[in-house]
Amino acid sequence: MAAHLLLLTPSSNRVYAGSAPQVTAAELGVLAITALGAAVIRAEPTTVAGVAYLEIELDGEPRPDVLGQLAGAHALFVREGQLLRPVPLARTERLDDDLLTIPKYPGRTNEQFTRVLLNVTLASTAWAGEMTQRRFTVLDPLAGRGTTLSWALALGHDAVGVEIERREVEAYAAFLTTWLRRKRLKHQIDLHPLRRSGTHVADLLEAQLSPDPAAYRSGDRQRLTLYAADTLATPDLLQNRTVDAVVTDAPYGVAHGSRAGVARDRSPAELLSLAVPRWTSVLRSGGAVGIAWNTHGLARGDLSAICADAGLEVCDAPPYLGFAHRVDAGIHRDILVARKP
């Protein structure tokens, strides 16, 4: 079959840009297992007329909608002799990309990588074959300023988040409110206290929206729910088996701990050992957990054991082992995905 040449989206982060071909090849390999409809024979960097591409050889005809899901895909070509013929990429984004590109703040995760993490997690669920048509419910239990939540909304899903820092929730609420108004999208959004039995348990950001006014009027709306609360309280905030995927970028140091227990600044390893079983309790059977983390603070084997102890089945096929890359001197990032039977 003719080779495809994938032109990757430029990244302002030079370090991530250097890792993007490797990460994209691994992402493609995961999609090929369950959703792409074609096996990957090879995927490797190449250069044509001084321009860098990822050269892909597939065994079969890929689904265009799934191929278009690749986080770094900018343009696709088929090599025909000395010429490159453009191939349409089917995009499934429902919202404009400035929902992801406008926010700038210290510690922000590269939005391309966040979409990789979301893609490979959804592609590992029992509903992988429907990943471009199904409306998933995606939970980020360490939501920060909401990059994962924004990607879920942009791709047409419902988003649920838990974030311990109220100021982060307030910042995301302010940004999303302004963005929705500027885009003139039909929506409702409100940040308010959540009380149960007269007790304040969290602050809650709730939003409903739709890019289609007719769909909004008929009640066909995407929903965002973001709790300002401890991630260890996730089972108390959500009902059991209510989310399809848990997608989160774990703390790289000790900044995002838990207020429960004797210390808030517990290590990421301790936090994950306590939190993963609680996240798993709200995950539907057939769902998947995708965690990005710093391997300098927690070995892959140890995180795999945490997931296994929580009743998850760790995905260890070769493509799942190709995501590790350097972020800076203190951070070597990887992705682990596990399924709930």
Side-chain angles (χ1 to χ4, degrees), residues 103-250:
K104 306 291 181 186
Y105 52 89
R108 179 176 182 270
T109 304
N110 179 285
E111 68 270 9
Q112 287 185 28
F113 177 77
T114 300
R115 182 166 180 180
V116 171
L117 176 61
L118 177 59
N119 281 346
V120 298
T121 306
L122 297 185
S124 302
T125 68
W127 314 282
E130 308 170 61
M131 67 178 293
T132 62
Q133 295 93 25
R134 190 178 194 272
R135 181 180 294 176
F136 288 81
T137 299
V138 178
L139 166 66
D140 184 350
L142 300 168
R145 289 276 189 94
T147 304
T148 302
L149 306 181
S150 291
W151 262 127
L153 293 175
L155 294 172
H157 306 305
D158 292 333
V160 182
V162 181
E163 169 51 44
I164 196 169
E165 296 290 351
R166 191 182 195 280
R167 66 177 181 269
E168 302 283 23
V169 176
E170 291 173 340
Y172 186 64
F175 164 71
L176 185 60
T177 299
T178 300
W179 188 88
L180 289 168
R181 289 173 178 169
R182 183 167 58 85
K183 295 292 180 178
R184 299 185 177 181
L185 295 180
K186 285 291 219 179
H187 70 278
Q188 296 176 5
I189 187 166
D190 183 44
L191 177 61
H192 57 87
L194 174 64
R195 298 183 183 277
R196 291 178 179 169
S197 301
T199 301
H200 177 269
V201 296
D203 291 307
L204 176 61
L205 174 65
E206 293 184 289
Q208 299 181 31
L209 61 104
S210 176
D212 181 351
Y216 184 89
R217 288 192 296 271
S218 71
D220 181 13
R221 307 170 185 178
Q222 291 175 249
R223 286 170 168 78
L224 165 76
T225 309
L226 175 56
Y227 298 89
D230 189 335
T231 191
L232 299 185
T234 298
D236 301 322
L237 300 169
L238 281 66
Q239 296 179 351
N240 286 346
R241 302 173 183 267
T242 55
V243 303
D244 301 313
V246 177
V247 180
T248 197
D249 202 5

Side-chain angles (χ1 to χ4, degrees), residues 38-49:
V40 179
I41 297 174
R42 64 185 179 90
E44 55 193 32
T46 190
T47 301
V48 177

